[in-house]
Amino acid sequence: MLCIHSFAFVPSSATFVRICPPIKSRFYIHTYKNIVGCLREKYSNLIFPFIMSAAELPFEILAHIARFLTSNEKLCCATICKAWKQPFLESLWIIIRLNNYRNVEYICDMLTSQPNIFEKDTHRTRTLFLGKGLSMSEKQLGIIQQHFQYVETLGVTEQSLGSSEFGEFADWSQWKSLKNMDFCVEGLTLYNQMKEFLRILSFLPCLRHLETNKTTDVPSVVYKLGDFETIHLYLPKLEYMSILGNIEDFTTEDLVRIKTVVPAHKLTVAKFRIFDLDLRWLCYFSRKYPNLHTLELVCFPIPEKASLFRKEAIAMIPSLSNSFQRLTKVTINCTLGMGWGFTAFWDMLRQFGVSIKHLEYRLIGCHSDINQSIMTISKCTRSCSETLELLFMSNTLRCDNPSTIPNTLGSLPRLVDLCIIMEGVHIAIDALLDNCTALRKLRLTVKTISINSNDTSDITMHDLRSLELTKATTGTDVFNYLSHRCPQLNSMRLASMKVVGPVSKDTGVLYFDMSYTHFDYLHFTSVFFYATNDGTENDYSSVNLLNFGTSDPEMNPEGASETVFNLGDIENKMPLDDPLWLHVYCNIVSCMQIDDLRILDQEESDFTQEYFEAYESNVESYYPDHIRRSWWGQVPKESWKDDLHRGYVRFYFNYVGRYVIKTYDGCEDILWNKLYATLS
């Protein structure tokens, strides 16, 4: 019998296959495993045991499982037994996607010829998507609206609807219970797109989530102040609004009208993706949306208009009272020139004491005046320095002074998550930690990372937990410093990095010393090491032999005798007390130089160990022939011994639970992203 124990299936795969059609037995096993996973995830907290056959599973449980399956999997599950047929077939109607015109014709013919048969099924549909280029006629739209009256979520993409105005057959009031809509206004191939869009909204009083999508990179739809007023008049329950288009500059009448606008109290999230922004619109938003907690502005105006009306916007601020008092999350994505214009917005937030906790600020392009760019960033962070908890900062600024950015950001005493993407700047990480005393997660994508002082005798301990460094050049002294200062650091990822440091002339060792650090997770992707005494690197100084090990086996967690070592896509379990030797080499594939990584076998490891025990004398007797190397200084796999004279990198850690080491940027590191997201 097919049974479950505490809602977990317990039969063998063979038992499961016997009740399934033999042609698709493998697929059924896969579906079976998916169901097992769903049940265990949903009911993992149940501790009381009971036995139940699969046929006795409640309808609600099967309907919930169906949410995690594809349409094909639902069809297969519907054929397993009589008890499973109804819930899995009904689940097929919850979400309907009409992706081509043939689907539209078929379903309209079916609903017209046999309306009673499918009435119950169409009433189950809660989500409806109309695909791109359907050019659905008004009559077809009317049929869909008549039979799918209980739709709560609607997606309308480019040219889903035909070119005629909807009035004779289509009845948007049939969807008066609609709660969520994603609509392409430009897809309405009508003379007055905005007028028709507003007319459609007039029939949807229950709408809570409105989003407009685009057809081209440069939207043609233009919104006026009156259009926003009309939207909120028709949609009194609107909570989320995302608008893509252009916003018209204010007229004299609009400036007078701002003072008497009726607030839209329900709206809490507003996102505007526009090209030209009259900065006085910020004053309108502050009056219109008093309960806003999330504001996103994406705008890329032409240079001449970047700071237009900035002075006028500043002059309007005193007339406002307690603007954006509930605002906690702000996202700004604009050009550097427009960023200077936004200083009026930061002044407004600071003046009214708005408690921003989450800030994302992306500035694109170069400004001729670096001081003005620095001032723009400073105005931004200092407007909410006392309350900010998460900061994402990205721009194309170029700055050689490593203390400039930390000093510009200033003191951020409550910041716990910081991400800086500025590939043209130098960062002093110790100054950054000094300013952000509560920081727990740090991500840096910069040109170089350094420290202002190597003195670790008198430093203030820091509780940093997670560190991600990308596309930077840094020294081994930085990691030694972090190991001393950040004892709670337990996860680190380095990607596309160059690490430089001195190689001992006596032992050939380049020390990567983090012996005070206990890592749960350590990830290297495309990290290359270079021997240097002056902070520079070149292909003649690359160090391609790596040696991993713990610094003190007695400090390992109780009972821990091995570590997980992922080399590329291959997972190994390695004893903690065994030295591990790796070699970075150049692999020629289709006339392309691709760097790769391998573990030295026992014989090669023994030879390497003996070589470095007498490194000084072995180097003196080495006479290199001309060896072909890659751009980064690697030799072919079979020439690994020609890297011995360059020395090796010796890694010291207190403990590492899992290593992940790659020499290429492959798929996104899902494990790291999940770990980073859940870190408290």
Side-chain angles (χ1 to χ4, degrees), residues 31 34-35 38 65-71 73-74 77 88:
T31 304
N34 285 345
I35 295 174
C38 295
I65 292 171
R67 294 170 52 193
F68 299 89
L69 305 180
T70 65
S71 297
E73 289 172 337
K74 292 175 184 178
C77 288
F88 283 104

Side-chain angles (χ1 to χ4, degrees), residues 518 520 552-563 576 654-657:
H518 182 114
D520 295 324
D552 186 358
E554 295 182 0
M555 298 300 294
N556 297 335
E558 184 177 354
S561 60
E562 59 184 14
T563 183
L576 287 171
N654 181 288
Y655 168 78
V656 179

Side-chain angles (χ1 to χ4, degrees), residues 268-438:
T268 57
V269 178
K271 299 181 180 182
F272 302 97
R273 294 165 289 166
I274 52 188
F275 274 75
D276 292 330
L277 177 66
D278 178 341
L279 291 169
R280 293 173 294 182
W281 275 95
L282 296 173
C283 299
Y284 169 75
F285 295 152
S286 68
R287 286 184 179 275
K288 187 67 180 179
Y289 309 127
N291 294 325
L292 211 62
H293 64 65
T294 299
L295 175 63
E296 180 177 319
L297 293 169
V298 180
C299 49
F300 301 101
I302 57 177
E304 307 85 74
K305 298 191 65 174
S307 297
L308 199 62
F309 302 116
R310 177 177 174 273
K311 293 182 179 180
E312 290 84 348
I314 293 175
M316 293 174 65
I317 292 177
S319 66
L320 307 174
S321 59
N322 299 323
S323 300
F324 296 125
Q325 286 301 296
R326 298 181 184 274
L327 194 62
T328 59
K329 180 178 179 180
V330 175
T331 298
I332 304 291
N333 191 349
C334 62
T335 60
L336 272 172
M338 188 68 196
W340 171 244
F342 269 113
T343 54
F345 177 63
W346 306 125
D347 288 338
M348 180 192 299
L349 297 184
R350 190 170 188 173
Q351 178 176 329
F352 295 118
V354 181
S355 300
I356 303 298
K357 295 182 178 181
H358 183 135
L359 175 61
E360 297 182 25
Y361 198 25
R362 297 174 175 87
L363 296 173
I364 299 174
C366 298
H367 202 286
S368 57
D369 187 352
I370 187 173
N371 293 325
Q372 191 171 5
S373 300
I374 293 297
M375 187 180 296
T376 299
I377 298 173
S378 178
K379 282 266 191 181
C380 165
T381 56
R382 294 177 192 272
S383 67
C384 49
S385 59
E386 296 299 321
T387 59
L388 203 57
E389 297 177 1
L390 184 150
L391 173 60
F392 178 98
M393 184 74 67
S394 171
N395 67 44
T396 52
L397 183 68
R398 296 186 180 277
C399 180
D400 295 332
N401 188 336
S403 297
T404 298
I405 295 302
N407 292 340
T408 300
L409 295 179
S411 176
L412 302 170
R414 305 183 74 173
L415 192 69
V416 296
D417 190 345
L418 173 62
C419 178
I420 298 177
I421 301 178
M422 302 181 185
E423 297 185 26
V425 306
H426 302 250
I427 290 281
I429 196 169
D430 54 340
L432 207 58
L433 296 177
D434 290 340
N435 288 342
C436 307
T437 55

Side-chain angles (χ1 to χ4, degrees), residues 3 45 76 78 90 130 175 194 208 223 231-232 281 283 302 363 382 402 412 424 631 649-650:
C3 301
N45 61 329
C76 291
E90 287 186 7
L130 306 181
W175 281 338
M194 182 58 66
R208 289 178 168 84
Y223 291 83
I231 287 173
H232 293 291
W281 275 95
C283 299
I302 57 177
L363 296 173
R382 294 177 192 272
L412 302 170
W631 285 105
V649 183
R650 176 67 169 94

